[in-house]
Amino acid sequence: MAQMTMIQAITDAMRTELKNNENVVVFGEDVGQNGGVFRATEGLQSEFGEDRVFDTPLAESGIGGLAIGLGLTGFRPVMEIQFFGFVFEVMDSVVAQAARMRYRSGGVYNSPITIRSPFGGGVKTPELHADNLEGLVAQAPGVKVVIPSTPYDAKGLLISAIRDNDPVVYLEHMKLYRSFRGEVPEEEYTIEIGKADVKREGKDVSIITYGAMVHSSLKAAEELEKEGISAEVVDLRTVSPLDIDTIIASVEKTGRAIVVQEAQKQAGVGATVVAEINDRAILSLEAPVLRVAAPDTVFPFAAAEDVWLPDYKDIVEKAKTVYNF
Amino acid sequence: MSLIEQVEKQFETFQILSEDGKVVNESAMPELSDEELQELMTRMVYTRIWDQRAISLNRQGRLGFYAPVAGQEASMLGSQFALDKEDWILPGYRDIPQIVFHGLPLYQAFLYSRGHFQGGQIPEGVNVLMPQIIIGAQIIQAAGVGVGLKKKGKKNVAITYTGDGGASQGDFYEGLNFAGAYNAQTIFVVQNNRFAISVPVEKQSAAKTIAQKAVAAGIEGIQVDGMDVLAVYSAVKQARERALNGDGPTLIETLTYRYGPHTMAGDDPTRYRTEDLDNEWTKKDPLVRFRTFLEGKGLWSEEQENKVIDQAKEDIKAAIKKADAAPKQKVTDLIGFMFEELPHNLKEQLEEYKAKESK
């Protein structure tokens, strides 16, 4: 076991797969010699060569087309979109092309592509760097969407994503890149895509969440504990498809739930989680399932992040509302 | 001379056969055997008949989406004829003839037209993608395939097609530029038939040729008489050799025309095209000029042509029959093609539809 930050775990996962499979190629803007704007690909080009890890021209759509073409010729592309706010440039390649490749060819072709991209607020980035756009891709049939919150999850899920024979959007929250270290095995391991993880057991209220909000929820759970409320924190880890079994098992146990996301209330996947709970566990519910989410405005100007982003206090408040319903 | 004039001068139309079937560029004549020349004519005649039949079958409701190709036979078939069996084709929605002559069975092309998954199930060893509906997407993907072939050390190219309107897309430029930056084994063909639905090419760009757009990517560009099958063949053949020599991708603009409407979905070309323009291009018919050329060499007769026509009609009849026999699609089929391993939601829906379908 080693102590790693999430970004180190991500690099380690890519190194593992570059070593394991000669068809794995890593590319994007500044991912080569520079090692990526966040150092996620640090050292990979010097270790594996320019043929395996390389820079691209500055054009997200072209990067998507390159990945699809390489996928058709036997490669296993790991492409990077420098910030997920730039996904609009490559939406067609991701949701209208790669996501549909297997279907539109009746199973003849596939797109074994991993799309890595940083996102997330709290680090005062300029415009369109931090937007939470997972809801857009989660709506696209044919693509899976993974969002890790710990170094351990990050490595196991990225290895799984790269090995998946269908496209996976793998979103890395910028605030979690280096904010803490965690135990990460040095050897290879995988975590199944589509499986949630109970990060804290509890019996009074389920907090269902993902990304940076996992940590805010864990902090909220500590605060709630002081007031005698036992919160269970479910980290979705994959936001499409959802791990219905884990979500429902938790709700059936606690009888109360809130769904917590950093995205605006009209975005993200919170509404889908609520709908699934309503469909499947309404008889277990002692209270409605409420949501913690950002206001439905454009992502805030950097200096307004603190008042805009949901935080642990919002979660505590909402959990109490549900608890006292 | 202005800079623009100087640039345009570099992109004069490449032609081998004149409109009356005479060789006007002897030194550029491609090396083709008599049989190969006859095969080219056979394919063009076959495709013209297929186009006529497809339009009629569409009107009878026996085909669905169809984008007519009459007029573009030289551009489509001359270019495909220059390829190796293992080369990749990334077609646009109009480019069905190329993928059929590359190995996609005709009945599958008809199933594609009707909207059936079997239309997309490309047989193994046939390196073509399904027709691309998103104009420009095939261009960036072809750059990727061309990079992949180069990385794998394959002696093959990727060829892709778009129209004159498509050259205005961002993906068109990005694809050319990526291919240039990576020295990809890719050939880009723009079939300039002068109209993107109703919009004339003059409204797409102030550039006098589309071929010169290659300059923006730093790659080779050539404008070809797209009604001249020998010129198209020769241009693609050379582009292919250049790519395999490591000399990079090429943009080929073929000047061509579609005699029919944009698609069979209610487009009426008389709303935006004049009779004079139609007549002008009818004189350039690729079949007429190549037929004259071959007859002059004693390689083509009315009898041969009629044989091709009969064969085409027979094949089309058989293909439609085979398409009719394809099983009706079920939701469970569609679910099955989504992923290698079905995620939870689809597993659940598969059971739901299985139950529904067994009722």
Side-chain angles (χ1 to χ4, degrees):
Chain A
M1 286 278 193
Q3 286 285 321
M4 285 188 200
T5 60
M6 195 165 95
I7 197 108
Q8 288 168 333
I10 287 167
T11 312
D12 194 43
M14 281 189 275
R15 180 178 291 114
T16 303
E17 287 313 277
L18 280 160
K19 237 182 247 171
N20 273 336
N21 188 335
E22 60 176 18
N23 288 319
V24 172
V25 282
V26 173
F27 53 90
E29 296 156 10
D30 310 287
V31 306
Q33 196 179 7
N34 190 42
V37 291
F38 290 104
R39 303 284 167 263
T41 52
E42 178 98 310
L44 297 182
Q45 190 182 68
S46 57
E47 188 175 344
F48 297 97
E50 220 181 314
D51 208 38
R52 307 281 308 283
V53 181
F54 52 93
D55 291 319
T56 64
L58 202 167
E60 285 75 20
S61 190
I63 294 171
L66 180 64
I68 291 167
L70 287 171
L72 289 167
T73 44
F75 289 94
R76 203 162 261 289
V78 181
M79 61 174 261
E80 180 179 303
I81 303 172
Q82 202 161 65
F83 295 94
F84 205 53
F86 311 163
V87 72
F88 296 106
E89 306 291 331
V90 63
M91 263 319 241
D92 182 61
S93 282
V94 177
V95 311
Q97 303 291 333
R100 299 166 68 104
M101 185 65 80
R102 188 183 290 277
Y103 176 88
R104 65 191 294 263
S105 65
V108 171
Y109 297 125
N110 66 325
S111 279
I113 301 172
T114 302
I115 299 138
R116 283 187 46 245
S117 190
F119 79 107
V123 288
K124 306 232 175 346
T125 50
E127 202 171 11
L128 268 167
H129 283 54
D131 293 53
N132 294 262
L133 302 170
E134 69 280 7
L136 296 176
V137 275
Q139 282 209 8
V143 65
K144 296 168 193 163
V145 186
V146 170
I147 305 182
S149 70
T150 68
Y152 177 85
D153 288 351
K155 179 174 172 181
L157 283 166
L158 184 51
I159 292 177
S160 292
I162 295 171
R163 292 181 187 179
D164 201 292
N165 284 326
D166 292 299
V168 177
V169 175
Y170 180 94
L171 299 175
E172 306 164 5
H173 200 292
M174 283 184 273
K175 203 182 169 187
L176 302 182
Y177 267 156
R178 293 186 175 85
S179 55
F180 62 97
R181 285 173 188 273
E183 291 281 327
V184 178
E186 273 157 73
E187 65 274 14
E188 62 175 76
Y189 63 95
T190 57
I191 294 171
E192 194 181 332
I193 292 175
K195 281 273 178 275
D197 181 43
V198 177
K199 288 282 192 288
R200 178 192 166 110
E201 303 242 8
K203 56 183 177 48
D204 296 328
V205 58
S206 300
I207 304 177
I208 298 153
T209 185
Y210 57 98
M213 290 296 116
V214 170
H215 302 280
S216 305
S217 298
L218 288 168
K219 189 166 176 196
E222 276 173 36
E223 295 296 313
L224 289 162
E225 190 73 56
K226 288 177 197 162
E227 303 187 35
I229 302 170
S230 161
E232 175 151 302
V233 177
V234 178
D235 179 358
L236 291 173
R237 297 199 294 196
T238 298
V239 300
S240 180
L242 292 168
D243 180 355
I244 298 294
D245 291 348
T246 304
I247 295 168
I248 298 304
S250 179
V251 173
E252 282 175 345
K253 179 172 77 171
T254 62
R256 292 180 169 82
I258 61 170
V259 184
V260 180
Q261 66 181 26
E262 184 178 302
Q264 293 89 335
K265 197 166 191 180
Q266 69 184 37
V269 298
T272 308
V273 177
V274 175
E276 291 289 352
I277 297 170
N278 283 344
D279 280 359
R280 296 163 195 270
I282 194 134
L283 294 177
S284 302
L285 290 177
E286 304 286 343
V289 182
L290 298 184
R291 284 178 284 163
V292 174
D296 286 328
T297 70
V298 167
F299 195 89
F301 299 104
E305 274 190 340
D306 296 344
V307 294
W308 189 91
L309 288 166
D311 67 7
Y312 80 95
K313 290 180 210 144
D314 300 313
I315 302 169
V316 168
E317 196 188 315
K318 201 71 78 174
K320 281 183 177 171
T321 306
V322 167
Y323 186 72
N324 297 314
F325 181 79
Chain B
M1 210 188 323
S2 75
L3 179 61
I4 287 177
E5 285 167 332
Q6 286 176 50
V7 171
E8 282 161 8
K9 243 178 82 88
Q10 311 298 312
F11 297 93
E12 279 168 10
T13 313
F14 172 60
Q15 190 188 43
I16 293 176
L17 281 185
S18 67
E19 282 171 36
D20 48 11
K22 294 214 168 65
V23 176
V24 292
N25 192 345
E26 190 66 55
S27 62
M29 264 305 268
E31 280 177 35
L32 287 167
S33 68
D34 289 352
E35 290 72 25
E36 285 171 321
L37 290 169
Q38 286 166 326
E39 176 61 21
L40 261 177
M41 186 62 189
T42 299
R43 292 183 181 194
M44 289 205 289
V45 171
Y46 193 103
T47 303
R48 179 67 60 89
I49 297 302
W50 162 15
D51 186 72
Q52 289 166 2
R53 288 298 300 137
I55 286 169
S56 143
L57 287 162
N58 168 282
R59 290 200 172 119
Q60 296 164 30
R62 299 185 70 197
L63 280 182
F65 174 73
Y66 184 70
V69 300
Q72 297 191 198
E73 293 90 347
S75 171
M76 291 175 161
L77 303 167
S79 57
Q80 190 276 333
F81 202 70
L83 302 179
D84 179 80
K85 179 80 188 74
E86 308 258 303
D87 289 344
W88 275 84
I89 301 181
L90 291 90
Y93 53 80
R94 199 180 301 279
D95 305 306
I96 317 284
Q98 294 97 306
I99 59 173
V100 164
F101 282 104
H102 214 56
L104 180 75
L106 195 54
Y107 84 95
Q108 284 188 274
F110 290 158
L111 283 171
Y112 169 77
S113 164
R114 287 177 177 181
H116 192 295
F117 68 80
Q118 283 188 356
Q121 289 179 320
I122 311 296
E124 204 181 327
V126 177
N127 290 342
V128 306
L129 272 194
M130 301 69 70
Q132 180 58 253
I133 293 295
I134 302 303
I135 296 172
Q138 72 273 35
I139 305 291
I140 47 173
Q141 291 171 18
V145 173
V147 173
L149 293 170
K150 185 178 170 222
K151 278 179 171 294
K152 292 271 180 195
K154 292 261 164 75
K155 287 286 163 208
N156 288 105
V157 299
I159 191 169
T160 186
Y161 300 83
T162 190
D164 38 297
S168 302
Q169 288 278 7
D171 280 351
F172 173 77
Y173 168 68
E174 288 188 29
L176 264 57
N177 189 59
F178 267 61
Y182 292 116
N183 212 29
Q185 291 168 191
T186 306
I187 301 169
F188 301 98
V189 180
V190 174
Q191 303 189 85
N192 177 359
N193 65 23
R194 307 196 50 78
F195 288 90
I197 308 189
S198 67
V199 178
V201 65
E202 292 78 13
K203 289 196 176 162
Q204 293 293 342
S205 172
K208 288 288 187 301
T209 73
I210 291 173
Q212 76 197 59
K213 296 193 178 207
V215 175
I219 67 172
E220 286 291 331
I222 178 172
Q223 188 187 63
V224 181
D225 181 345
M227 309 300 260
D228 172 358
V229 72
L230 295 179
V232 173
Y233 172 84
S234 173
V236 174
K237 190 95 185 153
Q238 283 174 45
R240 195 177 180 279
E241 277 161 23
R242 197 160 39 240
L244 297 183
N245 278 338
D247 296 331
T250 303
L251 170 64
I252 299 171
E253 175 189 11
T254 62
L255 297 175
T256 182
Y257 202 71
R258 62 170 154 83
Y259 296 140
H262 164 69
T263 68
M264 294 306 293
D267 176 46
D268 173 12
T270 62
R271 288 168 71 106
Y272 52 84
R273 275 194 330 218
T274 63
E275 211 174 309
D276 282 353
L277 191 65
D278 281 347
N279 289 338
E280 181 195 328
W281 282 88
T282 305
K283 277 188 230 148
K284 300 183 189 207
D285 190 326
L287 272 65
V288 172
R289 93 170 63 167
F290 197 50
R291 186 185 293 123
T292 310
F293 168 76
L294 289 182
E295 281 169 353
K297 289 172 76 90
L299 292 174
W300 198 252
S301 66
E302 204 180 325
E303 193 194 340
Q304 269 167 294
E305 181 140 341
N306 285 334
K307 237 175 89 182
V308 176
I309 293 169
D310 291 345
Q311 184 67 51
K313 287 181 176 166
E314 205 176 296
D315 289 356
I316 289 158
K317 214 188 255 175
I320 274 289
K321 221 173 139 188
K322 198 162 176 193
D324 288 343
K328 278 214 168 71
Q329 300 170 97
K330 298 189 298 253
V331 174
T332 47
D333 296 326
L334 308 183
I335 289 175
F337 298 135
M338 284 303 300
F339 292 97
E340 182 177 56
E341 243 182 275
L342 290 186
H344 148 86
N345 54 325
L346 284 177
K347 270 187 196 152
E348 199 173 275
Q349 290 161 30
L350 184 72
E351 291 312 314
E352 230 172 87
Y353 280 92
K354 256 188 198 163
K356 217 172 155 181
E357 287 163 9
S358 65
K359 266 180 200 163

PDB file of all heavy atoms in Angstrom, chain B residues 53-78:
ATOM      1  N   ARG B  53     -33.815   2.637 -59.943  1.00  0.00           N
ATOM      2  CA  ARG B  53     -34.680   1.659 -59.264  1.00  0.00           C
ATOM      3  C   ARG B  53     -34.930   2.092 -57.813  1.00  0.00           C
ATOM      4  O   ARG B  53     -36.039   1.942 -57.297  1.00  0.00           O
ATOM      5  CB  ARG B  53     -34.041   0.265 -59.277  1.00  0.00           C
ATOM      6  CG  ARG B  53     -34.022  -0.428 -60.634  1.00  0.00           C
ATOM      7  CD  ARG B  53     -35.408  -0.687 -61.196  1.00  0.00           C
ATOM      8  NE  ARG B  53     -36.225  -1.534 -60.328  1.00  0.00           N
ATOM      9  CZ  ARG B  53     -37.497  -1.297 -60.058  1.00  0.00           C
ATOM     10  NH1 ARG B  53     -38.115  -0.251 -60.565  1.00  0.00           N
ATOM     11  NH2 ARG B  53     -38.151  -2.116 -59.256  1.00  0.00           N
ATOM     12  N   ALA B  54     -33.907   2.602 -57.153  1.00  0.00           N
ATOM     13  CA  ALA B  54     -34.050   3.007 -55.750  1.00  0.00           C
ATOM     14  C   ALA B  54     -35.065   4.138 -55.616  1.00  0.00           C
ATOM     15  O   ALA B  54     -35.884   4.148 -54.690  1.00  0.00           O
ATOM     16  CB  ALA B  54     -32.694   3.424 -55.178  1.00  0.00           C
ATOM     17  N   ILE B  55     -35.012   5.077 -56.557  1.00  0.00           N
ATOM     18  CA  ILE B  55     -35.969   6.191 -56.527  1.00  0.00           C
ATOM     19  C   ILE B  55     -37.387   5.643 -56.679  1.00  0.00           C
ATOM     20  O   ILE B  55     -38.307   6.023 -55.949  1.00  0.00           O
ATOM     21  CB  ILE B  55     -35.622   7.220 -57.626  1.00  0.00           C
ATOM     22  CG1 ILE B  55     -34.364   8.001 -57.191  1.00  0.00           C
ATOM     23  CG2 ILE B  55     -36.791   8.167 -57.893  1.00  0.00           C
ATOM     24  CD1 ILE B  55     -33.756   8.868 -58.273  1.00  0.00           C
ATOM     25  N   SER B  56     -37.517   4.702 -57.604  1.00  0.00           N
ATOM     26  CA  SER B  56     -38.840   4.143 -57.840  1.00  0.00           C
ATOM     27  C   SER B  56     -39.307   3.286 -56.652  1.00  0.00           C
ATOM     28  O   SER B  56     -40.466   3.367 -56.235  1.00  0.00           O
ATOM     29  CB  SER B  56     -38.792   3.400 -59.178  1.00  0.00           C
ATOM     30  OG  SER B  56     -39.553   2.249 -59.137  1.00  0.00           O
ATOM     31  N   LEU B  57     -38.398   2.506 -56.105  1.00  0.00           N
ATOM     32  CA  LEU B  57     -38.758   1.694 -54.926  1.00  0.00           C
ATOM     33  C   LEU B  57     -39.106   2.584 -53.738  1.00  0.00           C
ATOM     34  O   LEU B  57     -39.987   2.274 -52.936  1.00  0.00           O
ATOM     35  CB  LEU B  57     -37.607   0.749 -54.560  1.00  0.00           C
ATOM     36  CG  LEU B  57     -37.411  -0.439 -55.509  1.00  0.00           C
ATOM     37  CD1 LEU B  57     -36.018  -1.044 -55.324  1.00  0.00           C
ATOM     38  CD2 LEU B  57     -38.482  -1.495 -55.255  1.00  0.00           C
ATOM     39  N   ASN B  58     -38.406   3.703 -53.631  1.00  0.00           N
ATOM     40  CA  ASN B  58     -38.713   4.647 -52.557  1.00  0.00           C
ATOM     41  C   ASN B  58     -40.125   5.199 -52.742  1.00  0.00           C
ATOM     42  O   ASN B  58     -40.900   5.310 -51.788  1.00  0.00           O
ATOM     43  CB  ASN B  58     -37.675   5.773 -52.560  1.00  0.00           C
ATOM     44  CG  ASN B  58     -38.084   6.938 -51.682  1.00  0.00           C
ATOM     45  OD1 ASN B  58     -38.917   7.761 -52.081  1.00  0.00           O
ATOM     46  ND2 ASN B  58     -37.533   7.000 -50.481  1.00  0.00           N
ATOM     47  N   ARG B  59     -40.461   5.532 -53.992  1.00  0.00           N
ATOM     48  CA  ARG B  59     -41.813   6.081 -54.258  1.00  0.00           C
ATOM     49  C   ARG B  59     -42.897   5.054 -53.959  1.00  0.00           C
ATOM     50  O   ARG B  59     -43.997   5.414 -53.561  1.00  0.00           O
ATOM     51  CB  ARG B  59     -41.897   6.558 -55.711  1.00  0.00           C
ATOM     52  CG  ARG B  59     -41.045   7.803 -55.920  1.00  0.00           C
ATOM     53  CD  ARG B  59     -41.451   8.585 -57.157  1.00  0.00           C
ATOM     54  NE  ARG B  59     -40.711   9.850 -57.189  1.00  0.00           N
ATOM     55  CZ  ARG B  59     -39.881  10.199 -58.167  1.00  0.00           C
ATOM     56  NH1 ARG B  59     -39.701   9.409 -59.204  1.00  0.00           N
ATOM     57  NH2 ARG B  59     -39.252  11.358 -58.116  1.00  0.00           N
ATOM     58  N   GLN B  60     -42.547   3.781 -54.155  1.00  0.00           N
ATOM     59  CA  GLN B  60     -43.530   2.717 -53.841  1.00  0.00           C
ATOM     60  C   GLN B  60     -43.575   2.414 -52.343  1.00  0.00           C
ATOM     61  O   GLN B  60     -44.315   1.531 -51.914  1.00  0.00           O
ATOM     62  CB  GLN B  60     -43.151   1.425 -54.564  1.00  0.00           C
ATOM     63  CG  GLN B  60     -43.197   1.485 -56.080  1.00  0.00           C
ATOM     64  CD  GLN B  60     -42.432   0.319 -56.693  1.00  0.00           C
ATOM     65  OE1 GLN B  60     -42.358  -0.764 -56.108  1.00  0.00           O
ATOM     66  NE2 GLN B  60     -41.843   0.541 -57.847  1.00  0.00           N
ATOM     67  N   GLY B  61     -42.707   3.079 -51.588  1.00  0.00           N
ATOM     68  CA  GLY B  61     -42.658   2.807 -50.147  1.00  0.00           C
ATOM     69  C   GLY B  61     -41.894   1.548 -49.800  1.00  0.00           C
ATOM     70  O   GLY B  61     -41.980   1.048 -48.669  1.00  0.00           O
ATOM     71  N   ARG B  62     -41.125   1.034 -50.765  1.00  0.00           N
ATOM     72  CA  ARG B  62     -40.364  -0.195 -50.480  1.00  0.00           C
ATOM     73  C   ARG B  62     -38.938   0.108 -50.058  1.00  0.00           C
ATOM     74  O   ARG B  62     -38.171  -0.797 -49.729  1.00  0.00           O
ATOM     75  CB  ARG B  62     -40.408  -1.119 -51.701  1.00  0.00           C
ATOM     76  CG  ARG B  62     -41.846  -1.533 -52.050  1.00  0.00           C
ATOM     77  CD  ARG B  62     -41.884  -2.532 -53.155  1.00  0.00           C
ATOM     78  NE  ARG B  62     -41.355  -3.823 -52.708  1.00  0.00           N
ATOM     79  CZ  ARG B  62     -40.972  -4.787 -53.528  1.00  0.00           C
ATOM     80  NH1 ARG B  62     -41.026  -4.602 -54.826  1.00  0.00           N
ATOM     81  NH2 ARG B  62     -40.512  -5.927 -53.051  1.00  0.00           N
ATOM     82  N   LEU B  63     -38.558   1.386 -50.099  1.00  0.00           N
ATOM     83  CA  LEU B  63     -37.292   1.837 -49.503  1.00  0.00           C
ATOM     84  C   LEU B  63     -37.606   3.070 -48.668  1.00  0.00           C
ATOM     85  O   LEU B  63     -38.599   3.761 -48.901  1.00  0.00           O
ATOM     86  CB  LEU B  63     -36.263   2.199 -50.582  1.00  0.00           C
ATOM     87  CG  LEU B  63     -35.486   1.078 -51.257  1.00  0.00           C
ATOM     88  CD1 LEU B  63     -34.485   1.651 -52.255  1.00  0.00           C
ATOM     89  CD2 LEU B  63     -34.736   0.211 -50.221  1.00  0.00           C
ATOM     90  N   GLY B  64     -36.725   3.355 -47.704  1.00  0.00           N
ATOM     91  CA  GLY B  64     -36.918   4.534 -46.867  1.00  0.00           C
ATOM     92  C   GLY B  64     -35.989   5.649 -47.317  1.00  0.00           C
ATOM     93  O   GLY B  64     -35.996   6.054 -48.479  1.00  0.00           O
ATOM     94  N   PHE B  65     -35.142   6.091 -46.395  1.00  0.00           N
ATOM     95  CA  PHE B  65     -34.221   7.194 -46.675  1.00  0.00           C
ATOM     96  C   PHE B  65     -33.357   6.874 -47.891  1.00  0.00           C
ATOM     97  O   PHE B  65     -32.695   5.846 -47.955  1.00  0.00           O
ATOM     98  CB  PHE B  65     -33.331   7.418 -45.447  1.00  0.00           C
ATOM     99  CG  PHE B  65     -32.250   8.439 -45.670  1.00  0.00           C
ATOM    100  CD1 PHE B  65     -32.566   9.788 -45.737  1.00  0.00           C
ATOM    101  CD2 PHE B  65     -30.934   8.051 -45.824  1.00  0.00           C
ATOM    102  CE1 PHE B  65     -31.577  10.732 -45.965  1.00  0.00           C
ATOM    103  CE2 PHE B  65     -29.936   8.988 -46.038  1.00  0.00           C
ATOM    104  CZ  PHE B  65     -30.257  10.329 -46.113  1.00  0.00           C
ATOM    105  N   TYR B  66     -33.374   7.786 -48.876  1.00  0.00           N
ATOM    106  CA  TYR B  66     -32.513   7.574 -50.032  1.00  0.00           C
ATOM    107  C   TYR B  66     -32.023   8.908 -50.602  1.00  0.00           C
ATOM    108  O   TYR B  66     -32.808   9.819 -50.844  1.00  0.00           O
ATOM    109  CB  TYR B  66     -33.232   6.772 -51.133  1.00  0.00           C
ATOM    110  CG  TYR B  66     -32.287   6.475 -52.279  1.00  0.00           C
ATOM    111  CD1 TYR B  66     -31.235   5.575 -52.115  1.00  0.00           C
ATOM    112  CD2 TYR B  66     -32.382   7.148 -53.504  1.00  0.00           C
ATOM    113  CE1 TYR B  66     -30.320   5.340 -53.142  1.00  0.00           C
ATOM    114  CE2 TYR B  66     -31.477   6.914 -54.530  1.00  0.00           C
ATOM    115  CZ  TYR B  66     -30.448   6.013 -54.336  1.00  0.00           C
ATOM    116  OH  TYR B  66     -29.532   5.796 -55.338  1.00  0.00           O
ATOM    117  N   ALA B  67     -30.704   8.997 -50.787  1.00  0.00           N
ATOM    118  CA  ALA B  67     -30.087  10.197 -51.362  1.00  0.00           C
ATOM    119  C   ALA B  67     -29.580   9.850 -52.762  1.00  0.00           C
ATOM    120  O   ALA B  67     -28.618   9.099 -52.896  1.00  0.00           O
ATOM    121  CB  ALA B  67     -28.946  10.672 -50.466  1.00  0.00           C
ATOM    122  N   PRO B  68     -30.234  10.364 -53.800  1.00  0.00           N
ATOM    123  CA  PRO B  68     -29.887   9.996 -55.174  1.00  0.00           C
ATOM    124  C   PRO B  68     -28.421  10.267 -55.534  1.00  0.00           C
ATOM    125  O   PRO B  68     -27.798  11.194 -54.998  1.00  0.00           O
ATOM    126  CB  PRO B  68     -30.818  10.875 -56.012  1.00  0.00           C
ATOM    127  CG  PRO B  68     -31.996  11.085 -55.139  1.00  0.00           C
ATOM    128  CD  PRO B  68     -31.434  11.221 -53.760  1.00  0.00           C
ATOM    129  N   VAL B  69     -27.905   9.442 -56.456  1.00  0.00           N
ATOM    130  CA  VAL B  69     -26.477   9.523 -56.808  1.00  0.00           C
ATOM    131  C   VAL B  69     -26.230   9.751 -58.311  1.00  0.00           C
ATOM    132  O   VAL B  69     -25.091   9.943 -58.702  1.00  0.00           O
ATOM    133  CB  VAL B  69     -25.719   8.248 -56.373  1.00  0.00           C
ATOM    134  CG1 VAL B  69     -25.821   8.046 -54.879  1.00  0.00           C
ATOM    135  CG2 VAL B  69     -26.219   7.004 -57.111  1.00  0.00           C
ATOM    136  N   ALA B  70     -27.289   9.721 -59.128  1.00  0.00           N
ATOM    137  CA  ALA B  70     -27.081   9.860 -60.581  1.00  0.00           C
ATOM    138  C   ALA B  70     -26.308  11.140 -60.871  1.00  0.00           C
ATOM    139  O   ALA B  70     -26.659  12.213 -60.370  1.00  0.00           O
ATOM    140  CB  ALA B  70     -28.414   9.860 -61.309  1.00  0.00           C
ATOM    141  N   GLY B  71     -25.265  11.016 -61.676  1.00  0.00           N
ATOM    142  CA  GLY B  71     -24.394  12.155 -61.979  1.00  0.00           C
ATOM    143  C   GLY B  71     -23.064  12.041 -61.259  1.00  0.00           C
ATOM    144  O   GLY B  71     -22.046  12.532 -61.724  1.00  0.00           O
ATOM    145  N   GLN B  72     -23.079  11.361 -60.112  1.00  0.00           N
ATOM    146  CA  GLN B  72     -21.864  11.286 -59.299  1.00  0.00           C
ATOM    147  C   GLN B  72     -21.135   9.940 -59.444  1.00  0.00           C
ATOM    148  O   GLN B  72     -20.247   9.632 -58.643  1.00  0.00           O
ATOM    149  CB  GLN B  72     -22.203  11.552 -57.819  1.00  0.00           C
ATOM    150  CG  GLN B  72     -22.759  12.948 -57.595  1.00  0.00           C
ATOM    151  CD  GLN B  72     -22.878  13.375 -56.142  1.00  0.00           C
ATOM    152  OE1 GLN B  72     -23.597  14.308 -55.859  1.00  0.00           O
ATOM    153  NE2 GLN B  72     -22.185  12.717 -55.226  1.00  0.00           N
ATOM    154  N   GLU B  73     -21.519   9.166 -60.462  1.00  0.00           N
ATOM    155  CA  GLU B  73     -20.935   7.821 -60.586  1.00  0.00           C
ATOM    156  C   GLU B  73     -19.421   7.856 -60.741  1.00  0.00           C
ATOM    157  O   GLU B  73     -18.713   7.037 -60.145  1.00  0.00           O
ATOM    158  CB  GLU B  73     -21.562   7.073 -61.779  1.00  0.00           C
ATOM    159  CG  GLU B  73     -23.043   6.728 -61.606  1.00  0.00           C
ATOM    160  CD  GLU B  73     -23.947   7.832 -62.118  1.00  0.00           C
ATOM    161  OE1 GLU B  73     -23.470   8.949 -62.385  1.00  0.00           O
ATOM    162  OE2 GLU B  73     -25.164   7.570 -62.252  1.00  0.00           O
ATOM    163  N   ALA B  74     -18.925   8.782 -61.546  1.00  0.00           N
ATOM    164  CA  ALA B  74     -17.472   8.830 -61.781  1.00  0.00           C
ATOM    165  C   ALA B  74     -16.750   9.174 -60.484  1.00  0.00           C
ATOM    166  O   ALA B  74     -15.741   8.562 -60.128  1.00  0.00           O
ATOM    167  CB  ALA B  74     -17.141   9.864 -62.851  1.00  0.00           C
ATOM    168  N   SER B  75     -17.304  10.150 -59.778  1.00  0.00           N
ATOM    169  CA  SER B  75     -16.691  10.601 -58.533  1.00  0.00           C
ATOM    170  C   SER B  75     -16.705   9.482 -57.483  1.00  0.00           C
ATOM    171  O   SER B  75     -15.707   9.221 -56.808  1.00  0.00           O
ATOM    172  CB  SER B  75     -17.463  11.820 -58.034  1.00  0.00           C
ATOM    173  OG  SER B  75     -17.052  12.169 -56.748  1.00  0.00           O
ATOM    174  N   MET B  76     -17.819   8.795 -57.371  1.00  0.00           N
ATOM    175  CA  MET B  76     -17.954   7.747 -56.351  1.00  0.00           C
ATOM    176  C   MET B  76     -17.173   6.486 -56.725  1.00  0.00           C
ATOM    177  O   MET B  76     -16.387   5.965 -55.925  1.00  0.00           O
ATOM    178  CB  MET B  76     -19.432   7.394 -56.167  1.00  0.00           C
ATOM    179  CG  MET B  76     -20.230   8.522 -55.517  1.00  0.00           C
ATOM    180  SD  MET B  76     -21.986   8.155 -55.440  1.00  0.00           S
ATOM    181  CE  MET B  76     -22.486   9.317 -54.166  1.00  0.00           C
ATOM    182  N   LEU B  77     -17.400   6.004 -57.956  1.00  0.00           N
ATOM    183  CA  LEU B  77     -16.861   4.687 -58.296  1.00  0.00           C
ATOM    184  C   LEU B  77     -15.418   4.754 -58.774  1.00  0.00           C
ATOM    185  O   LEU B  77     -14.641   3.826 -58.552  1.00  0.00           O
ATOM    186  CB  LEU B  77     -17.769   4.008 -59.322  1.00  0.00           C
ATOM    187  CG  LEU B  77     -19.203   3.915 -58.774  1.00  0.00           C
ATOM    188  CD1 LEU B  77     -20.181   3.554 -59.861  1.00  0.00           C
ATOM    189  CD2 LEU B  77     -19.281   2.931 -57.622  1.00  0.00           C
ATOM    190  N   GLY B  78     -15.054   5.867 -59.411  1.00  0.00           N
ATOM    191  CA  GLY B  78     -13.657   6.035 -59.817  1.00  0.00           C
ATOM    192  C   GLY B  78     -12.757   6.086 -58.597  1.00  0.00           C
ATOM    193  O   GLY B  78     -11.654   5.521 -58.584  1.00  0.00           O
TER     194      GLY B  78
END
